[in-house]
């Protein structure tokens, strides 16, 4: 498999204007990509172009700008469908992001398949946005949330997962790549087990789409949620992919313009999918930007990105392992570019603050995955999360920064 060479990475970095700056007198080392990733010039330009030349409301206008705007928005849907391995662009519903996509499934689909006494199975490593919407659904329906535990490396315990699946399990909701640990879950296998038990599957792809080639058909899941801003696209736009027949059968979520065909005071007839789920004026510029992101990523190639990030992860793991005071949290066999760790004797917040003085951006805290922190008996970790534009030299700078942290607290 080909990977990006370091010289390719140096070239690609030039596409990201934000990376070329100093922070606190040091070259910026951006290692907070799991929180949000940076945007290439092509995406920034696509959004600017939209507002400078094409901006109009979509779908209903006959004038030229309305048509261009609609083409930009619907073109992005087609691109994203292809990028995720979907054959039918009607299966892409634009949302604000992963959180909204999961809430849409929980609110609109959830009550159609479960009731009191039924169960929703999630893993112990879920982000809060793949826990709380299900808790709200449980409150509405009397269903029960069940947790599948993970082991101390941060991998789903497959035996326990099998055990907790039963005829009562109606929905299985799992993260593809853990934001707090980096674990890449064996989604195909987990989905097959869930389907055998008769459950529907919802996959949180927030951390996957920027790092792995996604093929929803191969994964076999029923729903896949993702966020544009984690994959070098704009904030405020993301998508839910769902099987067309499920979207057809589901009631709408929000009501308003665009999601209807006809409205009278006696009742309304709903629009076709996916428009049935896109009430109101959507984030048109965001979708256009996301379409440009897909073009950009496809030019590089997700396999090459994944291979380079794997090399970076190995290098970063090695750098951290040379510092005895550091304990890595999340050591799964299959991992994406997340290095979550504790620095002995130093609070994560202090680690992050001192690294920032060195121009190094990392995230500290519970990473919206408090059950993961509880599992490891910690309140917070420091997390360095990678993107393809990171370099081995930046990980060396992280190592040097951490040595400074230890000096300060010696
Ligand atoms: N799931 C995971 C695994 C995440 O990392 C995040 C973002 N941190 C989300 C869901 C929520 O994504 P968003 O805030 O873009 O809706």
């Amino acid at each position: 498999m080909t990977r990006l060479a370091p010289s390719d990475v140096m070239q690609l970095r030039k596409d990201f204007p934000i990376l070329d700056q100093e922070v606190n007198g040091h070259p910026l080392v951006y290692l907070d990509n799991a929180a949000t990733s940076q945007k290439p010039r092509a995406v920034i330009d696509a959004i600017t172009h939209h507002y400078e030349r094409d901006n109009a409301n979509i779908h209903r206008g006959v004038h030229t700008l309305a048509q261009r705007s609609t083409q930009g928005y619907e073109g992005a849907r087609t691109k994203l469908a292809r990028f995720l391995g979907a054959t039918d662009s009607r299966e892409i519903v634009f949302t604000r992001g992963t959180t909204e996509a999961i809430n849409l499934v929980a609110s609109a689909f959830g009550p159609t398949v479960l009731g009191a006494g039924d169960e929703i199975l999630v893993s112990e490593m879920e982000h809060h946005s793949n826990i709380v919407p299900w808790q709200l659904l449980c409150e509405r329906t009397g269903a029960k949330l069940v947790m599948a535990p993970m082991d101390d490396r941060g991998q789903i315990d497959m035996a326990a997962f099998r055990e907790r699946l039963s005829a009562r399990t109606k929905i299985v909701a799992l993260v593809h790549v853990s934001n707090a640990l980096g674990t890449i879950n064996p989604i195909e296998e987990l989905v097959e087990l869930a389907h055998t038990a008769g459950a529907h599957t919802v996959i949180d792809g927030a951390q996957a789409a920027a790092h792995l080639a996604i093929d929803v058909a191969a994964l076999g899941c029923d729903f896949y949620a993702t966020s544009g801003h984690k994959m070098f696209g704009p904030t405020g736009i993301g998508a839910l992919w769902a099987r067309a027949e499920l979207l057809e059968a589901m009631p709408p979520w929000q009501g308003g313009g665009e999601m209807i065909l006809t409205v009278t005071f006696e009742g309304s007839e709903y629009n076709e999918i996916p428009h049935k789920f896109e009430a109101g004026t959507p984030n048109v510029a965001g979708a256009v930007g996301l379409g440009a992101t897909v073009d950009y990523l496809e030019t590089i190639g997700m396999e090459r990105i994944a291979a380079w990030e794997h090399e970076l992860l190995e290098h970063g793991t090695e750098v951290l392992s040379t510092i005895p005071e550091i304990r890595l949290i999340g050591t799964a066999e299959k991992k994406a570019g997340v290095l979550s760790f504790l620095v002995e004797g130093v609070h994560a917040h202090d680690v992050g603050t001192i690294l920032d003085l060195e121009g190094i951006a990392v995230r500290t805290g519970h990473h919206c995955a408090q059950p993961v922190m509880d599992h490891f008996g910690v309140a917070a970790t420091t997390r360095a999360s990678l993107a393809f534009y990171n370099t081995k030299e930046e990980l060396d700078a992280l190592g040097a920064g951490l040595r400074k942290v230890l000096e300060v607290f010696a």
Side-chain angles (χ1 to χ4, degrees):
M1 191 198 305
T2 59
R3 64 148 172 79
L4 293 173
S7 57
D8 298 325
V9 174
M10 292 319 287
Q11 199 57 37
L12 289 167
R13 284 178 69 84
K14 295 185 188 149
D15 296 338
F16 292 81
I18 205 169
L19 296 179
D20 183 23
Q21 64 174 302
E22 292 204 340
V23 168
N24 294 325
H26 298 272
L28 169 64
V29 173
Y30 188 76
L31 296 173
D32 194 18
N33 295 288
T36 201
S37 55
Q38 300 303 349
K39 320 305 170 197
R41 171 72 68 200
V43 170
I44 299 167
D45 285 350
I47 297 167
T48 305
H49 180 90
H50 172 80
Y51 281 125
E52 285 187 350
R53 308 296 304 171
D54 298 340
N55 180 55
N57 211 330
I58 54 168
H59 292 147
R60 290 169 296 277
V62 293
H63 63 79
T64 302
L65 296 195
Q67 287 173 23
R68 280 198 220 141
S69 215
T70 303
Q71 275 162 16
Y73 184 77
E74 291 302 333
R77 197 192 304 279
T78 309
K79 288 176 190 180
L80 191 62
R82 189 182 61 224
F83 187 71
L84 296 177
T87 46
D88 183 349
S89 65
R90 295 177 314 143
E91 296 184 328
I92 298 288
V93 176
F94 281 123
T95 63
R96 277 193 298 123
T98 303
T99 304
E100 190 172 74
I102 296 172
N103 275 279
L104 193 168
V105 181
S107 301
F109 176 74
T112 68
V113 289
L114 54 67
D118 289 330
E119 293 177 357
I120 301 161
L121 183 62
V122 298
S123 84
E124 193 178 4
M125 72 178 82
E126 298 309 317
H127 186 278
H128 298 163
S129 62
N130 204 21
I131 299 174
V132 185
W134 305 117
Q135 288 174 332
L136 293 171
L137 177 62
C138 288
E139 278 173 27
R140 274 174 72 192
T141 58
K144 190 174 148 207
L145 189 66
V146 176
M147 181 273 277
M150 62 182 177
D151 63 20
D152 290 340
R153 291 179 71 181
Q155 306 172 125
I156 292 179
D157 176 337
M158 295 302 285
F161 181 82
R162 279 195 189 86
E163 244 170 53
R164 292 183 191 203
L165 264 178
S166 76
R168 287 185 303 277
T169 317
K170 303 297 180 209
I171 294 174
V172 174
L174 298 167
V175 71
H176 193 168
V177 174
S178 157
N179 67 312
L181 301 163
T183 312
I184 303 176
N185 282 317
I187 294 300
E188 288 183 37
E189 191 184 346
L190 292 160
V191 162
E192 203 179 318
L193 288 168
H195 283 169
T196 306
H200 284 90
T201 48
V202 184
I203 306 304
D204 168 354
Q207 296 295 342
H211 308 286
L212 309 173
I214 307 296
D215 183 347
V216 287
L219 292 175
C221 56
D222 298 306
F223 298 94
Y224 196 92
T226 192
S227 295
H229 73 99
K230 310 254 192 209
M231 46 189 281
F232 319 104
T235 50
I237 187 82
L240 172 70
W241 168 84
R243 293 183 188 287
E245 65 271 21
L246 292 173
L247 288 177
E248 303 271 15
M250 272 160 69
W253 180 33
Q254 294 175 333
E258 185 57 26
M259 52 74 70
I260 45 74
L261 288 175
T262 58
V263 177
T264 67
F265 285 106
E266 284 67 50
S268 302
E269 192 189 342
Y270 305 130
N271 205 341
E272 288 166 0
I273 65 163
H275 310 293
K276 184 169 85 172
F277 297 102
E278 293 181 0
T281 301
N283 182 357
V284 182
V288 169
L290 186 53
T293 312
V294 168
D295 288 339
Y296 181 81
L297 289 174
E298 284 183 342
T299 311
I300 304 172
M302 292 311 293
E303 275 83 9
R304 293 175 77 212
I305 286 177
W308 170 246
E309 287 185 11
H310 186 71
E311 201 171 314
L312 280 180
L313 176 69
E314 285 189 336
H315 184 74
T317 308
E318 176 70 28
V319 167
L320 296 187
S321 74
T322 61
I323 308 175
E325 292 84 355
I326 286 185
R327 180 181 150 214
L328 204 55
I329 300 285
T331 51
E333 205 179 307
K334 285 197 80 186
K335 262 187 80 169
V338 171
L339 293 158
S340 213
F341 55 89
L342 305 173
V343 183
E344 197 182 298
V346 190
H347 193 282
H349 190 75
D350 295 329
V351 177
T353 306
I354 295 172
L355 288 178
D356 180 56
L357 293 175
E358 301 294 314
I360 303 169
V362 294
R363 181 133 310 230
T364 60
H366 55 55
H367 316 296
C368 296
Q370 280 181 337
V372 171
M373 301 298 117
D374 291 347
H375 178 100
F376 290 98
V378 299
T381 71
T382 301
R383 180 187 70 187
S385 53
L386 312 178
F388 70 83
Y389 45 57
N390 288 126
T391 64
K392 291 186 184 172
E393 291 71 25
E394 288 182 308
L395 292 165
D396 295 339
L398 173 68
L402 288 167
R403 288 200 169 82
K404 280 215 172 127
V405 170
L406 287 162
E407 274 166 36
V408 171
F409 282 86

